[in-house]
């Protein structure tokens, strides 16, 4: 199917598996699906091994949407076995089908039981991952999508009329209308956002770099192609980024240690100079103090000698007018 939105065209291939799990004996019911996924991997591997690789058609399955019956209990044995067989070959996305048959509380408990079974059996499902380079909005969207897994969805091919007269895709019940594209009614909007908008490239990258590469390695080993890791190392961008990050951190730590050592050396040199200057200032201060004390002693000595050499003053010199008569007519 070709999807077009805002001038962007997307070719989407949907592979249906009608009748899965409907047989009385469901042993190996997943085998045709597993063989289909592996056959697409084999076809892609054959194209990679050709001499002319200019035109490679990629028909690999990037995601499997696995519908779980809304029993309200735990996962069935066939659900667990199916996901255990396929989780290393394809991105698994568990879905609770016909979610409108459960109440909100029943649906919440059912989701918790599903995730408990998935974790207990070590089944790997696709989960959005945030890193340190993501903006807060992306981190918030990923956290919200994670809270919805497994997605509870409802489906409808009919349009129903709402009380306000608008037509929406949904189901009509005696008690009201359930809308397919209403986040308050089910998780279809979040599922579509993850598949076709926010995480489509992550699904493709996971298929190409992780799932396919693991299958390719095992396939070549089974064919007798032993890889010499000393000569050729399989390229994995994620591993390379991690190695580069570790090398960068080691380099930064080394630079920080060197800068710290240089800083400490400069501080020690500065402290040594300050200490030497302090000692010089103290010696100069001591020397000046000694000179000043010596000069002060000399001045005190001179003062004493000067006081000793002064002639004492006679009483007449102290009262020069005593014994003389005052001339009251001096003015005439």
């Amino acid at each position: 199917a070709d999807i077009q939105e805002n001038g962007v065209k997307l070719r989407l291939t949907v592979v249906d598996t009608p009748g899965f799990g409907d047989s009385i004996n469901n042993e190996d019911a997943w085998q045709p699906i597993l063989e289909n996924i592996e056959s697409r991997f084999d076809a892609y591997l054959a194209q990679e091994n050709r001499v002319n690789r200019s035109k490679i058609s990629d028909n690999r399955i990037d995601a499997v949407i696995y519908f779980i019956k809304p029993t309200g209990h735990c996962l069935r044995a066939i659900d667990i076995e199916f996901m255990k067989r396929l989780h290393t070959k394809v991105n698994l996305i568990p879905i609770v089908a016909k979610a409108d048959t459960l109440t909100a509380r029943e649906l919440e408990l059912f989701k918790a039981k599903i995730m408990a079974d998935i974790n207990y059996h070590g089944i790997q499902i696709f989960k959005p991952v945030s890193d340190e380079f993501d903006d807060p909005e992306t981190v918030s969207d990923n956290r919200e999508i994670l809270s919805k897994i497994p997605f509870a969805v409802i489906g409808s091919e009919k349009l129903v009329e709402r009380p306000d007269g608008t037509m929406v895709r949904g189901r009509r019940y005696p008690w009201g209308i359930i809308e397919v594209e209403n986040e308050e009614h089910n998780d279809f909007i979040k599922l579509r956002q993850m598949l076709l908008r926010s995480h489509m490239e992550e699904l493709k990258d996971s298929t190409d770099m992780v799932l396919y590469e693991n299958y390719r390695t095992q396939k070549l080993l089974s064919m007798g192609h032993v890889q010499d890791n000393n000569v050729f190392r399989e390229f994995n961008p994620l591993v390379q980024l991690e190695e580069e990050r570790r090398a960068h951190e080691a380099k930064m730590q080394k630079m920080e240690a060197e800068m710290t050592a240089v800083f400490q050396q400069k501080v020690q040199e500065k402290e040594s100079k300050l200490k030497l200057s302090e000692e010089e200032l103290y010696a100069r201060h001591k020397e000046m103090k000694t000179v000043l004390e010596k000069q002060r002693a000399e001045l005190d000595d001179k003062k004493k000698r000067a006081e000793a050499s002064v002639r004492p003053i006679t009483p007449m010199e102290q009262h020069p007018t005593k014994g003389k008569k005052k001339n009251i007519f001096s003015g005439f």
Side-chain angles (χ1 to χ4, degrees), residues 115-126:
M115 291 306 300
D117 285 343
I118 287 175
N119 294 330
Y120 177 78
H121 292 282
I123 298 172
Q124 301 173 13
I125 62 175
F126 178 78

Side-chain angles (χ1 to χ4, degrees), residues 124-184:
Q124 301 173 13
I125 62 175
F126 178 78
K127 295 180 180 179
V129 179
S130 301
D131 54 36
E132 57 184 356
F133 301 105
D134 289 336
D135 55 88
E137 184 179 356
T138 302
V139 174
S140 177
D141 290 342
N142 289 343
R143 190 180 297 113
E144 189 172 357
I145 290 175
L146 280 171
S147 67
K148 300 294 183 180
I149 296 175
F151 298 95
V153 299
I154 61 172
S156 177
E157 297 179 353
K158 297 180 180 180
L159 296 176
V160 295
E161 185 177 358
R162 298 173 58 184
D164 59 1
T166 58
M167 302 298 292
V168 295
R169 192 177 300 278
R171 294 178 180 272
R172 182 184 297 277
Y173 292 93
W175 43 263
I177 296 174
I178 291 184
E179 302 175 21
V180 174
E181 300 184 20
N182 189 331
E183 293 190 43
E184 296 181 357

Side-chain angles (χ1 to χ4, degrees), residues 42-225:
D42 291 336
Y44 192 84
L45 179 60
Q47 293 182 82
E48 282 188 332
N49 292 332
R50 293 185 311 188
V51 176
N52 185 8
R53 306 177 188 175
S54 58
K55 294 182 180 180
I56 295 181
S57 178
D58 188 0
N59 293 321
R60 294 173 294 181
I61 302 295
D62 294 316
V64 166
I65 301 176
Y66 186 73
F67 289 88
I68 301 170
K69 288 185 177 181
T71 61
H73 305 293
C74 301
L75 288 175
R76 300 175 301 165
I78 187 174
D79 298 330
I80 297 173
E81 193 63 30
F82 176 88
M83 289 191 282
K84 287 175 67 176
R85 297 277 182 164
L86 268 70
H87 73 125
T88 58
K89 303 293 176 61
V90 71
N91 296 304
L92 278 176
I93 302 175
I95 304 292
V96 178
K98 301 178 181 179
D100 51 339
T101 60
L102 299 173
T103 65
R105 179 57 179 169
E106 290 173 344
L107 186 59
E108 181 181 357
L109 294 175
F110 188 42
K111 283 187 172 185
K113 291 178 182 178
I114 291 173
M115 291 306 300
D117 285 343
I118 287 175
N119 294 330
Y120 177 78
H121 292 282
I123 298 172
Q124 301 173 13
I125 62 175
F126 178 78
K127 295 180 180 179
V129 179
S130 301
D131 54 36
E132 57 184 356
F133 301 105
D134 289 336
D135 55 88
E137 184 179 356
T138 302
V139 174
S140 177
D141 290 342
N142 289 343
R143 190 180 297 113
E144 189 172 357
I145 290 175
L146 280 171
S147 67
K148 300 294 183 180
I149 296 175
F151 298 95
V153 299
I154 61 172
S156 177
E157 297 179 353
K158 297 180 180 180
L159 296 176
V160 295
E161 185 177 358
R162 298 173 58 184
D164 59 1
T166 58
M167 302 298 292
V168 295
R169 192 177 300 278
R171 294 178 180 272
R172 182 184 297 277
Y173 292 93
W175 43 263
I177 296 174
I178 291 184
E179 302 175 21
V180 174
E181 300 184 20
N182 189 331
E183 293 190 43
E184 296 181 357
H185 296 174
N186 70 110
D187 303 329
F188 174 77
I189 295 294
K190 290 298 180 185
L191 174 63
R192 182 176 64 182
Q193 175 185 344
M194 187 186 76
L195 289 176
L196 302 180
R197 296 178 184 174
S198 58
H199 294 83
M200 183 175 62
E201 288 301 324
E202 289 186 19
L203 287 166
K204 294 175 68 68
D205 291 343
S206 176
T207 300
D208 184 51
M209 299 178 184
V210 181
L211 301 172
Y212 171 71
E213 285 299 325
N214 291 338
Y215 176 82
R216 173 178 170 273
T217 301
Q218 295 299 324
K219 188 73 173 180
L220 294 177
L221 289 175
S222 65
M223 296 171 60
H225 298 281

Side-chain angles (χ1 to χ4, degrees), residues 186-284:
N186 70 110
D187 303 329
F188 174 77
I189 295 294
K190 290 298 180 185
L191 174 63
R192 182 176 64 182
Q193 175 185 344
M194 187 186 76
L195 289 176
L196 302 180
R197 296 178 184 174
S198 58
H199 294 83
M200 183 175 62
E201 288 301 324
E202 289 186 19
L203 287 166
K204 294 175 68 68
D205 291 343
S206 176
T207 300
D208 184 51
M209 299 178 184
V210 181
L211 301 172
Y212 171 71
E213 285 299 325
N214 291 338
Y215 176 82
R216 173 178 170 273
T217 301
Q218 295 299 324
K219 188 73 173 180
L220 294 177
L221 289 175
S222 65
M223 296 171 60
H225 298 281
V226 180
Q227 178 175 298
D228 187 0
N229 295 324
N230 296 325
V231 177
F232 172 77
R233 187 179 63 168
E234 195 169 324
F235 176 74
N236 188 331
L238 298 178
V239 175
Q240 184 183 15
L241 288 175
E242 182 66 19
E243 291 177 353
E244 291 178 355
R245 184 184 67 81
R246 292 178 180 175
H248 179 71
E249 290 181 354
K251 182 179 179 181
M252 294 299 295
Q253 291 177 358
K254 182 180 178 181
M255 291 177 61
E256 184 179 358
E258 292 177 351
M259 292 177 65
T260 303
V262 172
F263 177 75
Q264 291 178 350
Q265 183 181 358
K266 294 292 185 181
V267 170
Q268 291 176 356
E269 292 178 355
K270 192 68 176 178
E271 289 178 348
S272 300
K273 290 182 179 180
L274 290 175
K275 188 175 181 180
L276 182 61
S277 300
E278 184 180 0
E279 292 176 353
E280 292 177 353
L281 289 174
Y282 178 75
R284 187 178 301 176

